[in-house]
Amino acid sequence: MSVGTHAIDIRTSPHIKGQLTTDTIMLHVVYALLPVTAFAVFVFGLSALLMILVTTGTCVLTEHVLCKLAKKQTTVRDYSAVITGLLLALCLPPAFPLWMAVVGGVVSITLGKALFGGLGMNPFNPALVGRAFLQAAFPVAITTWAPAFWPKVWSIERFTSIMLPTVSLPFMRPESVAAFIQGVSLDGLSGATPLAKMKFEHQATPLIDLFVGMTAGSAGEASAFLIILGGIYLCARKMMNWRVPVSILVTAAAVSGAFYLSDRQAYPTPMFMLFSGGLMLGAVFMASDMVGSPMSPIGIWIYGALIGAVTVLIRLKGGLPEGTMYAILLGNACTPLIDSLTQPRIFGARKKAVKP
Amino acid sequence: MSESSSNRDIQVLLNGIWKENPVFVQVLGMCPTLAVTNSVRNAIAMGVSTVFVLVMSSMLVAMVRKIVPKQVRIATYILIISTFVTIVDYVIKAVSIPVYKALGPFIALIVVNCIILGRAEAFASKNTVYRSVLDAIGMGIGFCIALVCLGGVRELLGNGSFLGVPLFGPYYEPWVIFLLPSGGFFTLGAWLLAFSLIKERKARRAAQEQEQSV
Amino acid sequence: MSESSVQAGALPKAPSGVSMIVVMTSVATVCGLLIVTAFQATKGAIEHNVATITQESVLEILPGAARQIPFGVDAAGAVVREPAADADVSRIYAGYDESGALLGIAIEGRGQGWNELKILYAYSPDRQCIFGFKVLECRETPGVGDKITTQEDFLANFKELDATLDPATQSPVHPIVTVKHGTKKDKWEIDAISGATISSKAIGRILQESTTRLLPAITGHLDEIRKAGAA
């Protein structure tokens, strides 16, 4: 922000500003997301790449058009729309039809952000708003998962051909992934996610597969390792509050650990809970959204605990295999309340106001 | 004199359709507006039922407006309105059970539709029977239009059809969200936006014309 | 003018209680008359509609049936013929062909999916199996859970679903159960709809509960039910 050409600039405090601007932070978040994104493309192939390009493009374009409509200076350059687009793509199934991805991008930016007044005013994470809309609109397509590393780990075919559902015609029912799997004769590869396998078949997936990212699932939730790496990078640069992911993961581990200890047969281990599904991606990149999370450290701990506990409860007791999205949206919704309850005491003020 | 009075009558009729549209301008009667507009057929059934209750109760309220003491007027209005709602309930059940099932509890809830009590209190209790009926018809048509607008969009996107006739062929992928309550809110929001955009533009144009003429 | 304003400044004259009562009573009387008239006018049509819908459903799932007689099974397992409309019984409908022979029994079942479900299924005492199925009331998510009402693969489960009773204990040998999509092996298993597991499982639960409770009572009174058709 340039101060302007005035000789004297009169403003209220703070007068000394840090070096960090919104644009820089957002750019670094993009950097942190790049390895995850690249790995998603590597695991799921050309379809994932196309989807990432499409959602990011849609988000940026929507933001630009909405700014023009509102006769404001375009806010495309602050990279926040890019992040929304990337995150949206990363939490969708890799073979998701592109036309639906476009719908998701438009909804993310319009309903998730612009409607509330743009960046900084949005109570919810825009990418998750888009995903929630898609989940309600196209419940089948969004739970149709493509297998990872098809047809083989080192295979060029993944990058030269597109999974059929990806290119289904706008407004038309997508081609089924099951048919596609049969078509390329991928015996032994299934599109069922580790969480769905756990919930409906009581079949656990080896932890190392989850950690490295050898499993089916949303494009970006494959590798816990790269997500953690991105998170550490952002924390090290002080662009993200480390308390958010830590509090979420610790609570999720504690709650699922309690379930596991109560019945080792029925419930999965805490480690499985942490590394499967979208919890890691959500905890590191979505819940930590500065706009939607509380301000004070104690507030963040409450916020993280809420998200972690609700995620585990939805996964183990709810009707859906995955609950990270709703848990984070719920946490976002509670943020103003948490903030008002955890107002830090003004320095020098008494603990309780003296009655007049 | 007679001409201007008939002009005013037409104004009363048109008010409810555009200028004071009960849904898009007054934002009244949200419960049936959001709940039963997931298809055009349901929207029409609800619209017609409401028009019937609205017209009949406005007429009766206007008829008894001079003899009802102020203290018991609301009780009387509710009595009259619920009578006609009960009648509508029987009639729909007699006409078609599937439609009755689709509308569910919302027929009974017409009683507390604030459009009806609102018109009884604000208009019918102060105007002649003739005027009250005109006003009720206007408001009723406005309400119907709004319901069909919502039902049309929701059925089109949520089911790919209009009045049950599929429009996009068998391969259409329905947007399930538009059949769910949340889709009702989205659609209503979009229509309110469109409506106020048109109104604003019209007002601006009128203001410009006035400026030019001055 | 000044006189009236002085009056208004003082307490406005309240209407007497009698006039209020008279007005309310007469309005209520008129309203009551209107309602009774409407009720009488539509009564026949409504009863006709309800009966038609139930009958249609019963005849639809009991192909070949020429007529049906409603029965009720109460909590103690006693079977009553043509129970009163408000009786607290589980309703079953016996379907007979032209000659009066029992074709099958349509049984009403209720239970909880995402929302309340009401179903009707056809039971054959001779073959000891369920051979027809229809969802009467369903408020499951449109496009997802409501597939239980339409999806052909799912409805094919009920063409011959085993419900054999153990002659000794009078309880089902194999309780009906919903299994994951694509893993149906035995005749008493229901193949769930992929993507609508909760609603599919709810159907399985309703059938299991209903068959366990009602089939012994029906078997116990089978002669009675058969005879009713001949008369």
Side-chain angles (χ1 to χ4, degrees):
Chain A
M1 288 238 164
S2 70
V3 173
T5 50
H6 303 284
I8 305 170
D9 190 46
I10 302 169
R11 294 189 174 199
T12 54
S13 59
H15 300 291
I16 304 169
K17 287 186 203 154
Q19 295 294 311
L20 277 182
T21 61
T22 311
D23 308 16
T24 333
I25 296 179
M26 293 294 168
L27 189 60
H28 281 276
V29 176
V30 174
Y31 289 157
L33 276 170
L34 278 182
V36 185
T37 316
F39 188 70
V41 174
F42 173 63
V43 174
F44 296 106
L46 190 57
S47 288
L49 178 67
L50 283 177
M51 189 174 68
I52 290 162
L53 292 178
V54 163
T55 50
T56 314
T58 313
C59 285
V60 171
L61 196 68
T62 312
E63 174 116 351
H64 187 71
V65 169
L66 286 176
C67 285
K68 287 283 156 213
L69 275 181
K71 303 206 170 67
K72 282 183 193 163
Q73 203 183 357
T74 180
T75 46
V76 164
R77 280 188 201 91
D78 67 7
Y79 289 101
S80 64
V82 176
I83 295 175
T84 302
L86 277 179
L87 284 178
L88 179 65
L90 292 178
C91 64
L92 290 174
F96 200 62
L98 291 181
W99 72 265
M100 294 182 185
V102 171
V103 172
V106 172
V107 169
S108 293
I109 297 293
T110 26
L111 294 186
K113 201 160 91 179
L115 207 61
F116 294 102
L119 184 67
M121 311 290 206
N122 49 318
F124 301 104
N125 184 315
L128 284 179
V129 172
R131 194 189 188 278
F133 184 91
L134 291 176
Q135 169 107 48
F138 310 112
V140 176
I142 209 162
T143 47
T144 311
W145 310 99
F149 291 119
W150 62 274
K152 279 193 293 283
V153 176
W154 300 105
S155 161
I156 195 76
E157 201 188 329
R158 197 157 70 240
F159 306 100
T160 54
S161 61
I162 300 172
M163 292 189 245
L164 269 183
T166 303
V167 287
S168 42
L169 289 172
F171 297 101
M172 292 298 136
R173 188 172 308 137
E175 204 68 39
S176 89
V177 170
F180 161 76
I181 295 176
Q182 272 175 357
V184 289
S185 64
L186 294 172
D187 289 340
L189 277 183
S190 106
T193 64
L195 275 174
K197 275 187 195 160
M198 189 70 216
K199 181 146 204 143
F200 300 121
E201 294 166 51
H202 275 280
Q203 187 185 340
T205 309
L207 207 57
I208 185 72
D209 285 2
L210 291 173
F211 188 70
V212 183
M214 311 284 282
T215 54
S218 296
E221 64 187 40
S223 172
F225 174 69
L226 290 175
I227 295 171
I228 295 174
L229 214 61
I232 291 174
Y233 171 77
L234 284 180
C235 289
R237 288 195 154 261
K238 297 224 160 68
M239 290 172 178
M240 184 177 86
N241 196 324
W242 59 272
R243 290 178 188 90
V244 177
V246 168
S247 59
I248 293 176
L249 296 175
V250 165
T251 321
V255 176
S256 62
F259 273 107
Y260 178 65
L261 288 181
S262 74
D263 187 346
R264 281 163 202 262
Q265 297 298 314
Y267 298 112
T269 62
M271 289 308 267
F272 176 84
M273 272 295 164
L274 289 190
F275 291 111
S276 61
L279 181 59
M280 196 61 81
L281 184 73
V284 174
F285 285 111
M286 291 176 179
S288 59
D289 188 334
M290 291 177 173
V291 187
S293 51
M295 317 234 206
S296 63
I298 178 82
I300 291 183
W301 284 105
I302 299 174
Y303 168 80
L306 179 78
I307 294 177
V310 171
T311 304
V312 173
L313 283 180
I314 293 180
R315 282 185 181 181
L316 295 179
K317 293 288 171 194
L320 301 162
E322 173 61 306
T324 312
M325 172 181 79
Y326 292 120
I328 296 178
L329 287 173
L330 214 62
N332 286 159
C334 290
T335 293
L337 180 67
I338 296 174
D339 265 339
S340 73
L341 288 178
T342 55
Q343 283 281 344
R345 193 151 51 91
I346 299 164
F347 182 73
R350 297 190 188 206
K351 254 192 175 166
K352 266 187 181 169
V354 185
K355 272 184 188 171
Chain B
M1 182 67 206
S2 71
E3 202 181 271
S4 78
S5 116
S6 76
N7 264 348
R8 249 181 295 156
D9 289 346
I10 293 172
Q11 203 53 48
V12 166
L13 187 71
L14 293 181
N15 251 354
I17 300 174
W18 176 259
K19 220 170 119 196
E20 288 173 22
N21 185 299
V23 173
F24 291 145
V25 178
Q26 304 184 51
V27 200
L28 288 178
M30 285 300 104
C31 165
T33 307
L34 292 168
V36 297
T37 53
N38 49 14
S39 77
V40 180
R41 189 188 67 163
N42 290 352
I44 291 175
M46 174 50 83
V48 170
S49 318
T50 310
V51 170
F52 173 77
V53 177
L54 192 54
V55 171
M56 296 306 281
S57 43
S58 279
M59 189 171 80
L60 213 61
V61 166
M63 270 155 77
V64 298
R65 72 184 188 279
K66 284 188 182 141
I67 53 166
V68 174
K70 230 177 161 181
Q71 286 79 352
V72 293
R73 70 186 194 286
I74 300 285
T76 317
Y77 300 160
I78 288 290
L79 199 62
I80 293 171
I81 294 167
S82 46
T83 303
F84 290 109
V85 171
T86 313
I87 294 174
V88 163
D89 191 81
Y90 288 140
V91 170
I92 293 182
K93 229 194 275 182
V95 171
S96 162
I97 298 256
V99 171
Y100 182 77
K101 274 186 182 162
L103 296 181
F106 294 102
I107 302 172
L109 286 175
I110 297 177
V111 176
V112 286
N113 187 329
C114 35
I115 297 172
I116 298 172
L117 187 60
R119 287 337 278 177
E121 168 76 2
F123 199 94
S125 62
K126 294 173 191 142
N127 286 281
T128 61
V129 175
Y130 174 60
R131 280 267 176 106
S132 303
V133 170
L134 276 186
D135 174 73
I137 293 175
M139 286 291 159
I141 294 176
F143 185 64
C144 276
I145 292 175
L147 288 194
V148 172
C149 282
L150 265 105
V153 171
R154 291 178 70 184
E155 189 180 337
L156 207 63
L157 285 174
N159 200 29
S161 61
F162 192 84
L163 267 173
V165 182
L167 294 183
F168 300 116
Y171 295 105
Y172 179 75
E173 170 76 11
W175 301 32
V176 180
I177 191 170
F178 282 99
L179 298 183
L180 303 175
S182 47
F185 282 98
F186 286 134
T187 322
L188 180 66
W191 274 112
L192 286 176
L193 182 73
F195 219 80
S196 45
L197 265 183
I198 297 171
K199 280 201 123 173
E200 203 176 278
R201 195 161 294 177
K202 245 185 155 180
R204 208 183 304 147
R205 201 172 301 155
Q208 267 175 3
E209 268 166 26
Q210 218 168 24
E211 240 170 66
Q212 275 170 2
S213 69
V214 169
Chain C
M1 188 66 202
S2 65
E3 259 184 29
S4 70
S5 65
V6 167
Q7 262 186 350
L11 274 176
K13 200 183 150 215
S16 70
V18 179
S19 79
M20 283 190 222
I21 291 170
V22 168
V23 168
M24 288 289 287
T25 317
S26 37
V27 171
T29 315
V30 174
C31 290
L33 274 175
L34 283 173
I35 291 180
V36 171
T37 318
F39 177 74
Q40 289 297 341
T42 53
K43 193 170 175 239
I46 292 174
E47 277 172 3
H48 176 77
N49 274 350
V50 172
T52 323
I53 286 218
T54 316
Q55 194 151 1
E56 270 172 12
S57 311
V58 168
L59 297 183
E60 187 186 320
I61 66 166
L62 296 174
R67 66 195 193 91
Q68 50 103 4
I69 298 176
F71 289 89
V73 182
D74 67 15
V79 173
V80 211
R81 184 170 166 172
E82 283 164 28
D86 54 351
D88 182 22
V89 292
S90 305
R91 280 162 209 284
I92 63 175
Y93 305 88
Y96 308 92
D97 68 7
E98 296 290 345
S99 66
L102 183 66
L103 275 173
I105 298 168
I107 304 173
E108 257 181 36
R110 288 161 190 278
Q112 193 75 22
W114 289 102
N115 291 299
E116 193 177 313
L117 283 165
K118 188 174 158 194
I119 62 164
L120 192 70
Y121 64 93
Y123 169 71
S124 161
D126 304 324
R127 287 187 281 153
Q128 301 243 324
C129 74
I130 290 168
F131 65 100
F133 174 79
K134 189 178 182 196
V135 179
L136 291 182
E137 274 169 35
C138 166
R139 287 198 299 266
E140 306 292 282
T141 316
V144 188
D146 73 349
K147 281 188 197 156
I148 54 169
T149 60
T150 49
Q151 205 193 54
E152 280 174 27
D153 288 348
F154 182 69
L155 297 179
N157 281 309
F158 309 102
K159 288 205 173 109
E160 193 170 355
L161 189 66
D162 184 82
T164 314
L165 287 184
D166 188 328
T169 61
Q170 283 295 303
S171 60
V173 182
H174 305 288
I176 290 167
V177 63
T178 305
V179 297
K180 199 189 131 52
H181 179 65
T183 59
K184 171 172 169 145
K185 285 193 292 283
D186 295 304
K187 280 190 298 180
W188 56 86
E189 287 175 345
I190 300 172
D191 195 8
I193 299 174
S194 164
T197 315
I198 303 277
S199 308
S200 312
K201 285 201 165 148
I203 298 292
R205 263 201 323 275
I206 297 173
L207 285 176
Q208 187 188 66
E209 187 274 333
S210 172
T211 48
T212 314
R213 194 165 55 84
L214 297 179
L215 295 195
I218 291 173
T219 317
H221 298 79
L222 202 54
D223 291 337
E224 211 176 298
I225 296 174
R226 277 188 207 283
K227 258 182 237 157

